[in-house]
Amino acid sequence: MLAHLASPRTGGLLALAAVIALLPLVLRNSYFYDVAVLVGLNAIVCIGLNLLIGYAGQISLGHAGFFGLGAYGSAILASRYGWPPLAALLATTFAVALLAFIVGRPILRLRGHYLAMATLGLGVIIFMVISTEDKFTGGPDGISVVPFRIGGFVLQGERIWYWVVGALLLVAVWLALNLIESPTGRALRALHSSEVGAEVVGINAAEHKLMVFVISAVFASVAGSLGAHYSGFVTPAKVAFLHSIELVTMVVFGGLASTFGAVVGAAVLTTLPQLLATFEDYEMMVFGAVMIGTMIFLPRGVVPSLARLFRSHRSADADNKANKA
Amino acid sequence: MSLLRVEGLGKKFGGVNAVEDLSFEIPPGEVYSIIGPNGAGKTSLLNLLTGVYKPSSGRIMLQEHDLTGHPPYAYARQGIARTFQNLQVFFNMSALENVMVGRYMHERCGLMSALLRLPRQARADRACREEAAELMRYVGLQAYLSSAADAMPYGALKRLEIARALATRPKLMLLDEPAAGLNPTEALELDDLIGRLTERGVTVVLVEHNMRLVMGVSDHILVLDYGRKLAEGPAQEVRNNPKVIEAYLGSAVSSETSYREEIAQVVAVAVEMHR
Ligand SMILES: Nc1ncnc2c1ncn2[C@@H]1O[C@H](COP(=O)(O)OP(=O)(O)O)[C@@H](O)[C@H]1O
Ligand SMILES: [Mg+2]
């Protein structure tokens, strides 16, 4: 039983739940809550993106596009057409999933740099459409978004959003952990390492890549929809290439193929620019430096490196005990 | 009735005929060996027989199924499994998970079941883990049950690929140079393992340079040279075929000597262990 609680899966989920529950003790004002909500939303995107990049080994430099489509889809349906926000969110998510399914099929045949360029292109196209179709999207000025409401209950204020996003983050982590431990998740990790090795045991690699691409797009889209309602405003900045790069940097920094790494990466790299607010113009430089630094000093990312360190300490301890006995 | 039938199979790479106009049949329950010098087209043939390469001509039939032109996973689903000459181990996973991936076709589940980890899914996963562990013991990898794949020695990785292939529950198993890179003791253990595979009802195709192993376990032998069939038949016949002796087994004497050396080494190891 105790071993079960200490497993990376259950233990990690409990630890994350504890952090979310206790964090308000140090969140002194609504600005802190605001940063925490942004962390949570980015973390949800990164968990999905990490399934694609970290586990299945397929790069995407266009995920801000799916985030943006989620945000604008919800904004347009709920604010312009008066749809109930939940219905707008669900319809948008479905549409984004469908789009990812359709464009993913040809794109995911590509590998490495070619896949990177194709996803980058996809992100750029989405950005262009959103910033030029100003009749619907408000163009470069953006568009304001009604608050999220379910029935008579209106989600408003950083504190309420904190708990909602915190709960959804836990759900996202739980779903990702479940997937990774399933036959499907093992198939994804296998094809990352050897596509031919995976295919000859009966795995349809193309189908699996497409599936995880759609899942990661859905995570991004849902976070985008929620973010739009939360901040009450969306601009094309959230759809831009730069944002895609930020997301990938978070995943790489936190640790590829580590779900908790994706959360840590999102937390650190969402908070850091806030602390360095005076350096706003240099934000991209900071991200670039973090990317280079991670690649050089922590090629596995923060969380896997720490986990490895911890494990080797423990086994060293065990060795010491064994030697003494 | 043969298990696998190949008719007029060919594979061209630019001007090179890696495999040319090849026809043969593999009877069920046998060990069917494919030998030939380096570059003869043995690996290309296995790639064709698992859908990794698409043939330029010819047909591949497994029992009544025409698999020509199908993707690799379709071959796997019809019961063909393989190992690789250049290892294709999943180095990002544990040894046990590698074998669990081999169970994919029998474990595969809906996306919802995977995402929500329904109790049924959790149970199936535990069963899968146990079966994979059982297979690792079966191929002699009990020492590596909790190892990461990237921490295992070469000889163990070759067995790991066999366990992964077995996990697919194949009718036909293709082994590409399983003895290459093994020490003599490990190579001797392979005879026993291949014997047990056929007892399990698995038909084995063995591509191998180790003549001691080939002559010891084969029922039929196919000799390839420049992608073409040089000879084929029951092991004894092929062994005494003058064409084969000339073209390929010219080194038979030296392989006899190395066999004696191997035995000497194995005896030495056994004596050592007995002490
Ligand atoms: N993917 C490939 N592309 C080009 N040539 C290949 C490819 N695979 C095999 N060949 C060629 O086919 C011939 C047979 O190679 P191979 O099947 O590896 O032989 P073997 O396994 O008997 O040593 C060689 O000339 C090799 O260069
Ligand atoms: Mg070969």
Side-chain angles (χ1 to χ4, degrees), chain B residues 190-242:
Chain B
L190 213 52
D191 295 46
D192 169 55
L193 181 53
I194 291 173
R196 282 187 291 142
L197 290 181
T198 49
E199 275 166 30
R200 249 178 122 100
V202 181
T203 305
V204 176
V205 170
L206 174 67
V207 169
E208 188 47 71
H209 284 300
N210 182 328
M211 280 304 126
R212 182 197 57 69
L213 179 58
V214 170
M215 291 308 168
V217 300
S218 308
D219 298 298
H220 272 82
I221 299 180
L222 167 68
V223 187
L224 285 186
D225 203 21
Y226 295 107
R228 292 175 149 275
K229 185 198 282 187
L230 189 70
E232 193 219 2
Q236 281 313 317
E237 260 173 47
V238 171
R239 193 210 225 324
N240 300 323
N241 182 324

Side-chain angles (χ1 to χ4, degrees), chain B residues 113 116-126:
Chain B
S113 171
L116 304 179
R117 197 173 175 80
L118 303 175
R120 181 163 43 85
Q121 188 57 43
R123 268 199 307 278
D125 222 64
R126 274 194 297 276

Side-chain angles (χ1 to χ4, degrees), chain A:
Chain A
M1 185 64 208
L2 270 178
H4 184 61
L5 284 182
S7 77
R9 189 190 142 73
T10 319
L13 269 172
L14 286 176
L16 181 62
V19 169
I20 293 171
L22 297 178
L23 200 59
L25 296 176
V26 295
L27 298 178
R28 269 172 295 152
N29 55 43
S30 56
Y31 170 67
F32 283 72
Y33 275 94
D34 179 55
V35 174
V37 170
L38 296 179
V39 165
L41 292 172
N42 279 338
I44 291 172
V45 184
C46 288
I47 289 165
L49 193 55
N50 185 41
L51 291 175
L52 179 72
I53 300 181
Y55 286 103
Q58 310 298 311
I59 185 77
S60 168
L61 297 182
H63 260 54
F66 295 125
F67 182 89
L69 287 176
Y72 275 92
S74 269
I76 292 168
L77 289 179
S79 303
R80 286 214 191 224
Y81 296 101
W83 285 37
L86 186 60
L89 182 144
L90 293 176
T92 301
T93 308
F94 180 76
V96 169
L98 192 65
L99 176 78
F101 182 80
I102 292 167
V103 299
R105 199 165 272 276
I107 283 185
L108 290 163
R109 290 212 190 113
L110 305 171
R111 278 160 219 268
H113 297 83
Y114 297 98
L115 179 61
M117 295 317 277
T119 49
L120 187 156
L122 175 66
V124 169
I125 291 170
I126 294 173
F127 175 77
M128 304 266 275
V129 169
I130 285 176
S131 34
T132 50
E133 287 297 315
D134 47 4
K135 250 193 297 177
F136 292 103
T137 63
D141 297 338
I143 177 175
S144 62
V145 192
V146 296
F148 200 88
R149 62 170 74 232
I150 298 178
F153 185 72
V154 184
L155 281 185
Q156 225 162 7
E158 293 82 2
R159 276 155 221 263
I160 291 178
W161 273 98
Y162 175 84
W163 294 111
V164 171
V165 171
L168 288 174
L169 174 59
L170 277 175
V171 171
V173 170
W174 180 71
L175 291 174
L177 293 175
N178 287 346
L179 182 69
I180 285 315
E181 291 280 307
S182 74
T184 307
R186 285 192 289 271
L188 291 174
R189 286 182 284 160
L191 70 87
H192 181 181
S193 180
S194 166
E195 218 168 299
V196 64
E199 290 248 334
V200 300
V201 296
I203 293 165
N204 182 340
E207 183 184 81
H208 278 79
K209 289 184 200 171
L210 187 58
M211 181 199 296
V212 72
F213 187 69
V214 171
I215 292 174
S216 66
V218 163
F219 273 52
S221 173
V222 169
S225 290
L226 293 172
H229 286 292
Y230 166 69
S231 61
F233 206 79
V234 274
T235 65
K238 282 291 186 195
V239 196
F241 172 60
L242 247 45
H243 190 222
S244 286
I245 297 300
E246 286 175 1
L247 293 169
V248 173
T249 310
M250 289 172 187
V251 170
V252 172
F253 174 76
L256 291 169
S258 162
T259 297
F260 292 105
V263 177
V264 170
V268 172
L269 293 184
T270 308
T271 316
L272 194 65
Q274 306 284 338
L275 296 178
L276 307 173
T278 42
F279 299 103
E280 202 172 339
D281 295 340
Y282 301 103
E283 191 177 321
M284 252 359 258
M285 271 174 69
V286 171
F287 271 95
V290 167
M291 191 69 138
I292 295 170
T294 311
M295 291 299 184
I296 295 174
F297 299 110
L298 294 169
R300 292 167 180 281
V302 172
V303 169
S305 296
L306 289 179
R308 185 163 274 241
L309 201 67
F310 179 66
R311 265 201 304 276
S312 63
H313 266 284
R314 266 218 304 218
S315 60
D317 279 356
D319 286 349
N320 283 341
K321 275 183 201 142
N323 287 342
K324 275 178 204 146

Side-chain angles (χ1 to χ4, degrees), chain B residues 11 13-14 16-19 36-45 47 53 85 176-177 207 209 224:
Chain B
K11 180 67 184 174
F13 291 107
V16 180
N17 278 312
V19 174
N38 277 327
K42 305 180 297 295
T43 298
S44 300
L45 177 57
N47 283 338
Y53 289 166
Q85 182 179 358
D176 199 352
E177 305 208 11
V207 169
H209 284 300
L224 285 186

